[in-house]
Each structure stands twice: as structure tokens, then as C-alpha cells.
Amino acid sequence: MPKPEALSPQVSEMDEHLIDVLRHRVGKDERAATQHDWFKAAVLTLRNHVVDRWIESTRKTYDESGKRVYYLSLEFLIGRLMRDALSNMGMTREMEAALASHGLDLAALEDLEPDAALGNGGLGRLAACFMESLASLDIPAYGYGIRYVNGMFRQRIQDGWQIELPETWLAHGNPWEFDRRESAYRVGFGGEVVADGPDGAVIWKPAEQVEASAIDTPVVGWRGKRVNTLRLWTATALDPIRLDTFNAGDHVGALVEEARADALVRVLYPADSSASGQELRLRQEYFFTSASIQDIIRRHVAYMGDVRTLPDKAAIQLNDTHPAVAVAEIMRILVDIHGLEFNEAWEVTKKTVGYTNHTLLPEALESWPLPLFERLLPRHMQIVYAINSRVLREARKAGLDDAAVSSISLIDEGGERRVRMANLAFAGAHSVNGVAALHTDLMKVTVFKDLHQLYPDRINNKTNGVTPRRWLQQCNPGLTAVIKDAIGDQFLDDAEKLSDLNALSTDAALGERIAEVKRANKVALASYIKEVVGIRLDPDALFDVQIKRIHEYKRQLLNLIETVALYDQIRSHPERDWVPRVKIFAGKAAPSYHNAKLIIKLANDIARRVNSDPSVGGLLKVVFLPNYNVTKAEKLIPAADLSEQISTAGMEASGTGNMKFALNGALTIGTLDGANVEIKDHVGDDEIFIFGLTADQVAEKRAQGYNPREVIEQSRELSQALAAIASGVFSPDDPHRYADLMGGIYDHDWFMLSADFDSYAAAQRAVDTRWLDQKAWRTSAIRNIANVGWFSSDRTIGEYARDIWKVL
Ligand SMILES: *Cc1c(COP(=O)(O)O)cnc(C)c1O
């Protein structure tokens, strides 16, 4: 073991610091410290450096009276923070060496950090990438959300079925957090609105209140340029224990208020199949939105004095409609508390707020039963009515017809009356953006057709991006080093500089080195998979990866059916030159989504059968890796050869997984959906495998009424695969398990699996052909890496900053 005197000055300084923290903060002797103690000491040591930058950044913003960006999101899928912070602070080497001098391995300590799964999928991960890019671009920003105690569920696979368990990411405490008890706000629910304030002003008297208090996590930008704040709210009861009740012997009843407050911050997406589940969800949304808006306005008034200048100093971005009640909350505070006239308050609100739409699916657009909304938020209901009458007046004045006016209304009057959150967000924002070019185009002709006609300047596009720090540098240090050797290190500060690789796309030596890194990543993944699920993989096989939430529109089922067809083909024609493939799946299904859970079971059923069939001779393996999260993605993406982005065209708003894979040199097989369209434009038509119907063709087919049975009968491969699954070939223990799932494809096939199957299978064979020519494959991989720098979230955030927030 090297002795401290062998350490460089920076390392020995880091080491002294580490030991000091271990003793005085963790309270441990280095002789007795456990791995967890060292992990904590390492984070706290690093955190000290981060905090110095944090304070500098905050001072600078106050001194310059800078405009701040406030990003409100119900989800922040941040994952682990240690490697990110070390790397962005430029301290990885020092920390590694300091730990090594005590015989410790940094990577092993990193593995002790829990994955902060405060999100569900792409939307939450986008928020996390945006926070990192905001800091990297030196833009003062706060992220606002909820500090879920259990977050997203942890997925276990038992007999092939998904089981949901609570995620206990806080079990060992969280060394990144700062408890800000002084930043606390009361959030009310229910009660009544009375008009007995001064001058007849309206006063909301809530029936209950909880206290929201802030817990801050620093977010470090690239090269430690700026440290911003992720402020997550936790809830406590105003009256945590009713002593009279407790002393009267009702010990549990005395704590009921605390339990109600606790329920607000327990889990992300409580099941909303029951009325109480729905109510909890709306309470969560209002809870974090109200606390955030109160915090933003308090800060503004404290430093700027006049609430009317809010839009000059604050840009509030709503990540989807979950925080859309912000529009009514800002109005309430401006009108009821600061005494602004309605019209003036409305202008201030609109100038401050921007709204990002993430879905076109009508069933995914949030709306609340009006009686629930009114009971929980009576004052906001009045404000929504007032906004609505204004919007409808404008619509009529603009000459819109009755149908358009009723689709614009903030209240859905068809059947049970509901409050439409997307319409509220649209009306109350000066900017409404989609997340990929196709998605934005479709917004204008589908969900927001009429609102777009009324406010034609509001919709704009901001194609999503991912942070290249986490999704290239940190998750794939091998590839990063090879790129650095090839083109220098400018790409670290400007991902679009990756385009310098284009000049080297046919360079055999570079192709070779990138292939070596890919193979090493595949070896590492194979050994991880062996450990977790016990399946042995050949690292020279083509790793074909589909990892994302399990959803019918994402069409894991299309991939599985093609897997069955391939299995069939390999067995019928063992003499052909098959490319050995490993099909890897991972993803969580919403707990109440029956078909999605059945698709997970099918993947596991197919895996069991295929992996144990000696007649495929190792040409095909199928893996379902449990509990997909950010940490798993960081292992899987650098090891992928092929990226599956195969949603039904028109249904994936953007996708961001697609970008991460291409950045790591995987080739994409995909439909012309979401950002795939733009990825194709950037990498070139020959470097991506596009198949299937376009969004227009899907819409046309659906409108015409299409007959999947006819299509299935014309495809022998497809009909055989469907029949095999339906008849229980993969589920001999329960032969009818998949009868209904397959029946859905024969009967309506809403997601167009049969329409796209032949084209998908043909694209897969084109993938094989390219793979057999390794030189061509390597060139394609380089061209992918070279041309997706544009999909950096730095570019995306730059566009938001210039066009929407006006902070650049
Ligand atoms: C990037 C990412 C997603 C989004 O993936 P899509 O393929 O775009 O749906 C979801 N979950 C995790 C953990 C991610 O890292």
C-alpha cells in the first residue's frame, strides 16, 4: 500500500481532508471504519468543495440581481450523484488516489450509493439532465419537486412476474442533503372562501394545512462552473402529536395528522384507481407547487420589492401538467395577497410561466373531476372559472366556432365535469413547447389544435437532449478516452465538436479501438448479468437492447414477437449464417397496467425457453434485467450494439434513451417517431435502420379502420409466432396465459404491431448484414457518435434560455 508521503500534494490534501471528515463528521477511526463510513466520508469531503462553489454561485446571482430559472417537476430521476459530482468538480483522480492509500476502491464505494429514483422514466430523467446543463451553462436555477421517501417502486421479478417493493433509498441517510427548516411554508387544502378581507378582499380559509419544508441538494455543473439547487419539499403536520388525544389513550389517533402529512411525500404516483388515490395525487401536486410558488414569490419580493417585476427576474417552467395548478396559485397570491388587479396579475403570470407538453395521448392528459378540485382547492376553482371566462371570451371574439370554443374550455363539460390541466397550463403560459419536431407539429393539429388557432405564437419546439457528462464521460470512460486521443478534448465542453470524428469514420485503427472499448463494456455487462440473473452471455454476440418503461406503445411486444420468429427460423434453418444475438430487456410496468405486466412475464417466459434450448446453439439469448433505473442504464447503454426505439409512430413524444445509445456508438433500429426523426437527419439515412409506418400513415390506417387479421394471414412468420405464443408454447404451465394479449392483436391491434412486423423483421436482417461486415458496422458506429452531439441537453437548455426564459 503506498504511504502518504508518496502522494502528490493535491492527493495528500484530499487525504487529510478525508480523514478529518471521517473522524469528526462520521465519528470513526480509520481502523474501524466500514465501507459505508468511507463512502459517507468521501461524499462529505467532496461536498465541502461543492458547497464553496455553491455559496459563490448564489452570491453572484444575488449581487448581479440575475434572473433565475425555476424548473417545477413532479419527477427528478437523478440516480447516483457521487461520480457525477467528482467528475464535474475535476476531483476523481485525487479522490481515487486518496482512497487507494487506505486500500479502498472508489468504484466499490460508488456502488454503495443508492440510486435516487424520484422519477418514473424519460420525463424525470430529462429534469435531471436539465438541472445539470443549467449549472454547466452557468444559468442560475432551482429545481423544485418532492422528496419522496420511497420514490418509484423497486422491481423484483418472481417466477417471471413483476413484484413491486418499496424503494428505501434513504435507509442509510443521504449525505447530499441540507435540511432547510427555515424555508417552510404552509399549504392549505379544502375549507371555504370568504369575502371579509380588507376592502372586501377574498380570503381562503383552508380546513387543513400542512407545512412544506425544503431539503436542498447541490447540483454541480461541468468543470464546477456553477452549483445550483435542487429543492425538494417534505411535509410535516403543524400539530405532529395531539397530546390530549395521546394522553387519553388513543396513541395512534394522536399521530394521524403526521401520518396524513407523511402520505403526501411517500411515493411517486400512488395508484389512482381509487378516489382516495386520485385525491392524494392532486394533493401532492398542489403541495409541491404551492410551496415552490410561495418560495419563488417570497424570494422575489424580499430582494426586488415589487411583485410586478416577477417576470423580469423569474422564469417558471412547468415540466408537463403535474404542476399546472401553479397558474392558479400565482394568480391567487398576486390577487389575494399582493392585491393586484386580475388583469395585471394575469399578464404577470403569463409572462412568468412556460409549459412543456410531453404527451399527445388523450388518456394521458391530466384532468381532475371538478367536484374533487373544488372541494380541495375552492379558491383555485374560482380563479380557474375566471381565467376560463376570459379565455372563452377571447375565443369567441376571434370567431372560433362552438366546437373549438368547447375544446379550448378549461372545463370539460362532456359527461362528468373535469378541470383540464393542459388547457390551464396552455392558457397561463407565454410559451408552450413540444419536445421533438414531430411531436410539436402534431401538437398543433391534435390536442392543441384549437388553442393553437387562438394563440398561434405560443407553441414552439425544444427537442430534448441528454447530458453528455453522465451519458458519455461518466458512464463510458473508455470511449471518452479513445475520442480524446482521436480529436482532442474540445468535445468535453461542446458536444457538437464530436463531429470532428466524421473525418475519421473509415479509419480502421479508430474503428478497432472503439470496438475494443465496446467489447470491454460488453464483458463487464455480461459478468454483471451473470451475477444478477445467472445467464451466461457471449460478449461477441450482437447485444440488442430495449430498456425503457414497459408500455404497449413502446412495443416491447413487437420485439418479443420478432424474437420468437427468429427463434423459429434458427431452429428451422440451423445451417444459415445467423448472427449470434443477445436480446436484453429491462423496464418497469405501472403497478395497475395489466398488459404491461403480462409483457414482462412473456419476456421471462421466452427467455426461459430459448436460453435452455440447446438447438439454438448459443445463437440467441434473451435476458430480462430487473429493476431498471439510471444506474442500470449507465451499465447497459455503453455495452449496447443495437438500440431498439420502435414505438408506434406518433406516440413517443421524443425519447431520450435513443440519444444516449447513439452517443455511445450503438446503431438504432427504429420508427420515424419522436426524436428518432431528427437522429436520422443528423446521422444520415444509411447509419440508422428505419422501418414501419409513419405517423401520418398510422393516423390514416386508424381512421380508415384496418384489419389486422388480413395482415397477419399474409405473413407466415408473424402468424406462426403469434400462434405459438397464444397456444402456450412459452407458457406450458398456463397455456392460455397469452391468449387475450394475442387476441388483442388479431382483433384491433391498436399499436399496429402486425402492420409493422414484416418491415421490422426485414430491418433486423439488414442489421445482421451490416454486422457481418464489421468494417461497415464500425464506420456506422463512429458516424453515430460523431453526429449526435446536437442532442446534448446543453443545446436544448441553450434554446430554452434564449427563446423562452430570456436568460442568455
Ligand atoms: C433515459 C432514461 C429513460 C427514458 O428512456 P426512453 O427510452 O426515452 O423511454 C427512462 N429511464 C431511465 C432510467 C433513463 O435513464
Side-chain angles (χ1 to χ4, degrees):
M1 207 183 293
K3 289 283 160 258
E5 48 270 27
L7 305 179
S8 74
Q10 291 94 328
V11 174
S12 75
E13 198 184 314
M14 178 71 85
D15 184 51
E16 266 172 45
H17 199 151
L18 185 65
I19 297 302
D20 181 57
V21 168
L22 182 71
R23 291 186 175 194
H24 300 112
R25 298 290 310 282
V26 184
K28 280 290 180 86
D29 179 348
E30 52 271 36
R31 292 192 210 161
T34 64
Q35 292 267 311
H36 261 287
D37 295 328
W38 282 108
F39 162 70
K40 206 165 157 190
V43 170
L44 292 174
T45 303
L46 169 62
R47 200 182 76 167
N48 285 347
H49 295 277
V50 170
V51 168
D52 290 337
R53 294 284 167 84
W54 200 9
I55 289 171
E56 277 170 39
S57 303
T58 308
R59 279 192 188 168
K60 189 169 136 210
T61 309
Y62 278 114
D63 291 349
E64 295 171 358
S65 301
K67 184 169 181 177
R68 290 178 176 82
V69 171
Y70 295 106
Y71 198 79
L72 271 60
S73 179
L74 196 60
E75 304 184 21
F76 286 92
L77 193 51
I78 49 185
R80 289 176 174 163
L81 292 179
M82 184 181 182
R83 185 185 304 182
D84 188 59
L86 272 174
S87 169
N88 278 2
M89 292 294 289
M91 295 180 170
T92 309
R93 289 228 180 100
E94 283 85 349
M95 183 62 83
E96 206 160 27
L99 289 167
S101 75
H102 301 278
L104 295 154
D105 176 23
L106 173 61
L109 295 193
E110 283 175 348
D111 256 342
L112 297 176
E113 181 170 12
D115 182 287
L118 310 184
N120 178 33
L123 175 147
R125 185 53 233 174
L126 184 77
C129 284
F130 278 9
M131 288 305 297
E132 200 265 1
S133 277
L134 280 159
S136 296
L137 294 184
D138 200 16
I139 297 171
Y142 278 76
Y144 279 114
I146 296 178
R147 178 183 175 272
Y148 302 101
V149 174
N150 298 112
M152 185 66 186
F153 67 85
R154 186 158 59 81
Q155 180 193 58
R156 199 160 79 197
I157 301 297
Q158 203 167 305
D159 301 327
W161 295 101
Q162 167 177 296
I163 308 283
E164 300 98 30
L165 298 167
E167 180 63 79
T168 53
W169 70 297
L170 294 171
H172 295 275
N174 179 354
W176 289 108
E177 292 180 344
F178 289 84
D179 218 318
R180 308 293 195 199
R181 304 272 157 120
E182 74 284 4
S183 293
Y185 301 91
R186 290 187 175 193
V187 177
F189 297 100
E192 51 175 4
V193 179
V194 294
D196 59 2
D199 309 325
V202 166
I203 295 181
W204 174 29
K205 297 193 163 162
E208 340 157 23
Q209 291 190 308
V210 292
E211 186 162 87
S213 73
I215 296 185
D216 288 351
T217 300
V219 180
V220 187
W222 173 232
R223 297 202 194 274
K225 205 178 273 172
R226 162 175 281 279
V227 178
N228 279 327
T229 304
L230 175 60
R231 173 158 282 191
L232 301 178
W233 299 103
T234 190
T236 45
L238 297 183
D239 206 1
I241 174 165
R242 302 277 298 273
L243 266 187
D244 49 347
T245 312
F246 195 85
N247 288 331
D250 184 3
H251 303 146
V252 173
L255 301 171
V256 68
E257 264 195 57
E258 189 62 30
R260 278 174 75 87
D262 184 63
L264 274 174
V265 295
R266 269 283 153 186
V267 297
L268 170 67
Y269 300 139
D272 60 1
S273 45
S274 68
S276 66
Q278 269 186 37
E279 176 170 337
L280 177 57
R281 173 72 184 265
L282 179 56
R283 280 173 179 265
Q284 286 184 319
E285 294 184 356
Y286 179 64
F287 166 74
F288 100 90
T289 302
S290 172
S292 309
I293 298 298
Q294 290 186 61
D295 197 35
I296 293 165
I297 294 181
R298 175 207 51 83
R299 185 175 302 111
H300 180 77
V301 172
Y303 291 92
M304 301 299 154
D306 187 353
V307 77
R308 288 172 182 81
T309 59
L310 185 69
D312 302 333
K313 299 294 171 189
I316 297 174
Q317 191 67 29
L318 309 178
N319 194 24
D320 213 333
T321 56
H322 315 134
V325 70
V327 171
E329 179 70 354
I330 298 171
M331 288 295 288
R332 180 184 75 82
I333 293 175
L334 294 182
V335 173
D336 295 357
I337 298 175
H338 292 276
L340 268 63
E341 292 294 337
F342 186 92
N343 287 343
E344 188 174 24
W346 185 233
E347 292 310 314
V348 169
T349 301
K350 278 194 296 186
K351 277 190 202 153
T352 309
V353 174
Y355 154 54
T356 303
N357 172 274
H358 285 271
T359 181
L360 303 169
L361 309 184
E363 68 274 18
L365 287 174
E366 247 189 336
S367 69
W368 295 106
L370 193 140
L372 168 63
F373 194 94
E374 186 162 41
R375 176 165 57 75
L376 218 52
L377 302 169
R379 178 57 181 146
H380 299 77
M381 190 70 243
Q382 294 178 339
I383 293 168
V384 168
Y385 280 133
I387 295 170
N388 198 34
S389 73
R390 198 188 158 100
V391 170
L392 296 185
R393 206 164 52 236
E394 288 173 1
R396 290 209 184 82
K397 216 168 107 192
L400 271 64
D401 62 23
D402 286 352
V405 170
S406 88
S407 101
I408 283 170
S409 175
L410 309 196
I411 313 291
D412 183 352
E413 308 275 359
E416 180 206 32
R417 298 177 81 206
R418 301 180 75 95
V419 183
R420 291 169 167 155
M421 302 310 277
N423 292 31
L424 174 61
F426 196 118
H430 68 283
S431 159
V432 176
N433 74 282
V435 290
L438 172 66
H439 168 232
T440 302
D441 287 345
L442 292 172
M443 271 166 68
K444 294 180 185 170
V445 294
T446 59
V447 271
F448 294 133
K449 180 169 175 281
D450 299 303
L451 275 161
H452 176 56
Q453 214 188 326
L454 182 57
Y455 305 118
D457 299 331
R458 226 165 265 191
I459 295 184
N460 63 94
N461 178 245
K462 296 287 168 281
T463 299
N464 282 168
V466 300
T467 165
R469 269 74 64 184
R470 184 175 291 260
W471 297 112
L472 175 59
Q473 291 184 42
Q474 294 152 28
C475 74
N476 204 340
L479 180 57
T480 305
V482 170
I483 298 172
K484 235 190 268 185
D485 276 353
I487 59 168
D489 57 10
Q490 284 184 32
F491 73 99
L492 299 178
D493 297 283
D494 175 4
E496 294 187 51
K497 287 279 178 350
L498 285 166
S499 63
D500 290 350
L501 287 168
N502 278 315
L504 302 169
S505 66
T506 56
D507 183 301
L510 179 63
E512 179 77 27
R513 292 194 65 195
I514 290 179
E516 277 166 16
V517 168
K518 182 67 81 183
R519 191 172 190 285
N521 293 337
K522 289 165 74 176
V523 168
L525 178 64
S527 110
Y528 178 72
I529 285 177
K530 177 77 183 58
E531 191 185 306
V532 177
V533 288
I535 300 169
R536 193 180 298 281
L537 302 178
D538 171 8
D540 291 316
L542 188 161
F543 280 23
D544 169 342
V545 183
Q546 187 172 22
I547 50 175
K548 46 184 77 242
R549 283 178 301 118
I550 310 293
H551 201 292
E552 286 165 286
Y553 86 79
K554 290 179 180 278
R555 298 201 294 191
Q556 283 90 357
L557 193 49
L558 176 60
N559 190 349
L560 288 168
I561 293 165
E562 203 274 330
T563 303
V564 168
L566 178 62
Y567 174 56
D568 210 37
Q569 294 271 307
I570 292 173
R571 288 195 309 166
S572 322
H573 305 284
E575 74 290 350
R576 285 194 195 154
D577 191 13
W578 296 107
V579 169
R581 274 213 196 215
V582 177
K583 291 261 188 186
I584 301 174
F585 296 86
K588 294 173 181 172
S592 59
Y593 191 167
H594 176 260
N595 276 358
K597 292 177 115 171
L598 202 54
I599 289 167
I600 292 176
K601 174 64 173 162
L602 177 60
N604 283 289
D605 276 346
I606 293 172
R608 196 187 41 200
R609 162 104 198 212
V610 169
N611 297 345
S612 64
D613 185 340
S615 71
V616 298
L619 289 173
L620 182 62
K621 291 274 187 238
V622 181
V623 176
F624 187 93
L625 188 66
N627 201 37
Y628 181 51
N629 59 20
V630 172
T631 304
K632 297 262 163 55
E634 288 166 350
K635 292 185 204 297
L636 286 156
I637 291 168
D641 295 305
L642 186 66
S643 158
E644 298 266 358
Q645 309 299 338
I646 61 176
S647 50
T648 312
M651 301 192 80
E652 185 76 270
S654 163
T656 49
N658 46 6
M659 301 166 188
K660 300 168 196 166
F661 279 99
L663 191 59
N664 283 274
L667 276 53
T668 302
I669 183 167
T671 46
L672 283 177
D673 199 15
N676 295 353
V677 177
E678 289 153 89
I679 291 177
K680 168 181 157 294
D681 291 344
H682 278 82
V683 303
D685 295 359
D686 293 338
E687 318 304 340
I688 185 167
F689 300 92
I690 295 292
F691 70 92
L693 300 173
T694 62
D696 285 345
Q697 290 166 337
V698 168
E700 200 178 311
K701 262 206 171 10
R702 279 183 183 161
Q704 285 170 356
Y706 112 107
N707 183 352
R709 247 168 239 279
E710 259 170 36
V711 182
I712 295 166
E713 275 160 20
Q714 279 161 22
S715 168
R716 212 164 56 90
E717 270 190 63
L718 175 61
S719 44
Q720 283 181 358
L722 294 179
I725 298 169
S727 68
V729 168
F730 300 93
S731 54
D733 55 320
D734 178 6
H736 297 297
R737 181 173 294 141
Y738 302 111
D740 288 349
L741 193 64
M742 295 300 108
I745 300 177
Y746 284 100
D747 291 343
H748 50 81
D749 190 22
W750 180 250
F751 299 96
M752 305 268 160
L753 277 77
S754 53
D756 278 349
F757 180 83
D758 281 355
S759 155
Y760 177 55
Q764 290 287 20
R765 302 295 71 82
V767 168
D768 289 345
T769 306
R770 182 78 53 98
W771 180 261
L772 289 170
D773 180 354
Q774 277 292 301
K775 201 165 142 257
W777 186 277
R778 290 171 187 184
T779 295
S780 293
I782 295 174
R783 289 188 178 146
N784 270 264
I785 301 165
N787 294 303
V788 295
W790 187 80
F791 296 92
S792 162
S793 45
D794 295 350
R795 187 270 313 153
T796 313
I797 286 296
E799 292 179 5
Y800 275 87
R802 264 190 313 277
D803 305 344
I804 302 177
W805 305 327
K806 316 286 185 205
V807 291
L808 275 190

